[in-house]
Amino acid sequence: MENLNRRRVLSLGAALGLVGALEGPKAWAWSSADSVAGSGAGADPEWIWDDATDPLMASLLDNGQVPAVNTAMAKWVNNGDPLPSGLPAELTAHLRQVNKLPAWADLTKLRRAADFNRRRDTYLFMLYGLGSGIMSTVIPREARSVYWSAGGADMQDRAAKTFTFGYDLSQLRAFEPSGQFVVTANKTRLVHAAVRHLLPQSPHWKAGADQTIPISAADILVTFHSLGTYVHSKLTDWRIPFPAADQEAFLHSWQVALHLLGVPDEYIPQTWAAAHAQSAQVLTPIMAPTTEGKDLAEVLLGLTAQIDLGVTRGFLNEFVRYVLSDEVGDWLGLKRDYAAAALVRTAWPAYILFREGLSPIMPGTFYMVDQFIRGLAMLFLNNGGSSTTTPITIPTGNRAAG
């Protein structure tokens, strides 16, 4: 059985393009010398949360102040906006400390990352939406936390907010005064702190949890690897032109994002090699099916099917299998459609070749695939109703049973 599990992890890591998969979860061994900080205490991030934000949000929740905070923050959207009036003094003081880029942020790299995201938005929409989005449902802690938090009861809204995080990160001026990502990241950090206080009060979450407090620094790193590191792997696997300067800029945008979410710098990978080594330790070995994850995947794929455009559910199932592996597809109970599988495995490579100017022949499926990608993007932008922003609000409770 041990050898079988080892083969499973190795084959899954290879299928996902997450190189260097380990045999199974091990003691924290990733070196902080490979981080943006260059050094650190080396403590396991499994036991690190957010000391700057968690007590503050617990106090605001216990004192019933969160609804007023949400109202005050509703119009706080752009990075250059002043902090909202009407916030509790302690929250204002906290935001003054964290609502800024780290000293090591490089605006030249961030602007290049934004340009890269614009040039590669087609692939990013598909990989974030049908790759990372569905991968999250086979990350047990993430699936259970999402399912039993308040957002799990309305997955279209939850998906819109999750998508908006990546969308704001991808905008041309994301980190500048006219952009929105710094504000989005700060609101998300507050939401994480609220969920850390609320979920341990849920008997449904506690029944399946293997931790006493959710969303550790390690969990946020896992989410980064299911997004940024996974996308880096797939773009490389698909042989899409990816100059070193673009790769470095793309990583830098995620480094800054992790910092804004409260991850200590000693855990943020300095290079893609370091990111892949960390991913092999914290992501690949932990992936597994859960009851909550299977339900979430079905809901998410059902939402995606709304846009249709001639694309069948069989196409969706097989595209997920194509980008995540048949093993993940089997875990989620995705029905096979072998005709759609053949279409995906021929249409997608042909689509890439034509888009990249490597083939002069437009594939017959080009329009269908292109329109599907555009529809997928708009579906998750505030339930298809906005192309500018999706409001992020702090929850005040958990999901009820059922």
Side-chain angles (χ1 to χ4, degrees):
M1 179 61 71
E2 181 178 346
N3 286 337
L4 178 62
N5 287 337
R6 179 177 182 275
R7 288 196 301 271
R8 180 193 70 77
V9 171
L10 291 171
S11 63
L12 181 58
L16 295 176
L18 300 170
V19 296
L22 300 181
E23 298 174 14
K26 293 185 176 181
W28 180 250
W30 190 80
S31 173
S32 56
D34 294 327
S35 71
V36 296
S39 63
D44 191 338
E46 173 79 8
W47 304 102
I48 293 173
W49 290 274
D50 190 343
D51 292 342
T53 313
D54 293 349
L56 170 61
M57 286 310 307
S59 174
L60 294 177
L61 283 163
D62 291 344
N63 293 330
Q65 295 172 278
V66 168
V69 167
N70 281 330
T71 299
M73 291 201 309
K75 294 183 179 179
W76 184 41
V77 176
N78 292 329
N79 301 333
D81 291 346
L83 292 177
S85 60
L87 294 178
E90 60 271 31
L91 178 55
T92 298
H94 169 71
L95 291 173
R96 285 193 181 121
Q97 292 294 316
V98 300
N99 188 43
K100 57 188 177 183
L101 298 179
W104 46 263
D106 185 328
L107 275 178
T108 299
K109 289 182 181 179
L110 293 175
R111 287 168 181 161
R112 183 173 185 120
D115 183 62
F116 163 78
N117 289 327
R118 177 189 58 79
R119 288 182 278 116
R120 296 294 181 229
D121 62 352
T122 297
Y123 308 125
L124 296 179
F125 284 142
M126 291 296 274
L127 287 172
Y128 283 147
L130 290 178
S132 302
I134 302 302
M135 189 194 299
S136 71
T137 70
V138 292
I139 299 173
R141 285 181 175 177
E142 185 166 347
R144 291 189 180 107
S145 293
V146 168
Y147 188 89
W148 290 113
S149 64
D154 185 348
M155 277 308 296
Q156 184 153 355
D157 180 69
R158 176 68 165 72
K161 291 172 180 174
T162 301
F163 189 91
T164 295
F165 186 89
Y167 183 80
D168 288 351
L169 176 61
S170 301
Q171 293 305 287
L172 282 175
R173 301 291 179 184
F175 295 91
E176 299 180 44
S178 60
Q180 300 178 359
F181 184 76
V182 178
V183 171
T184 295
N186 274 289
K187 288 183 178 181
T188 302
R189 185 173 178 177
L190 295 177
V191 169
H192 285 170
V195 171
R196 291 188 193 103
H197 183 63
L198 292 168
L199 267 186
Q201 302 172 37
S202 165
H204 312 293
W205 177 79
K206 289 171 65 176
D210 64 348
Q211 55 187 169
T212 55
I213 303 172
I215 319 180
S216 67
D219 294 330
I220 297 175
L221 290 169
V222 166
T223 299
F224 155 61
H225 292 305
S226 74
L227 291 158
T229 308
Y230 167 73
V231 166
H232 179 259
S233 292
K234 283 300 181 185
L235 293 181
T236 303
D237 289 348
W238 290 343
R239 299 182 180 180
I240 292 167
F242 204 176
D246 281 353
Q247 294 188 45
E248 185 178 358
F250 182 57
L251 175 60
H252 190 63
S253 68
W254 277 105
Q255 290 168 337
V256 176
L258 288 169
H259 174 91
L260 291 172
L261 289 175
V263 176
D265 289 356
E266 70 174 275
Y267 302 108
I268 301 175
Q270 173 69 11
T271 65
W272 278 118
H276 284 287
Q278 189 183 84
S279 178
Q281 178 170 345
V282 302
L283 171 59
T284 312
I286 68 170
M287 294 173 64
T290 62
T291 300
E292 293 93 340
K294 291 173 72 173
D295 186 78
L296 290 175
E298 186 59 33
V299 172
L300 288 171
L301 288 170
L303 292 174
T304 308
Q306 292 178 19
I307 63 177
D308 191 55
L309 297 173
V311 177
T312 66
R313 175 60 189 270
F315 177 91
L316 293 176
N317 287 355
E318 293 298 337
F319 196 89
V320 169
R321 287 177 175 272
Y322 178 64
V323 296
L324 291 183
S325 80
D326 282 331
E327 183 165 20
V328 170
D330 291 343
W331 284 349
L332 297 174
L334 303 183
K335 293 181 180 179
R336 298 305 310 257
D337 183 329
Y338 292 102
L343 174 64
V344 168
R345 282 159 174 75
T346 56
W348 185 249
Y351 177 81
I352 291 175
L353 287 172
F354 183 75
R355 278 193 60 92
E356 296 304 315
L358 301 175
S359 170
I361 302 172
M362 179 187 289
T365 55
F366 182 89
Y367 182 76
M368 177 199 75
V369 174
D370 208 50
Q371 289 300 106
F372 175 72
I373 294 168
R374 306 299 173 190
L376 178 70
M378 288 308 301
L379 172 69
F380 291 123
L381 290 174
N382 200 21
N383 300 338
S386 170
S387 60
T388 55
T389 187
T390 293
I392 295 176
T393 55
I394 301 167
T396 56
N398 298 310
R399 178 178 183 162

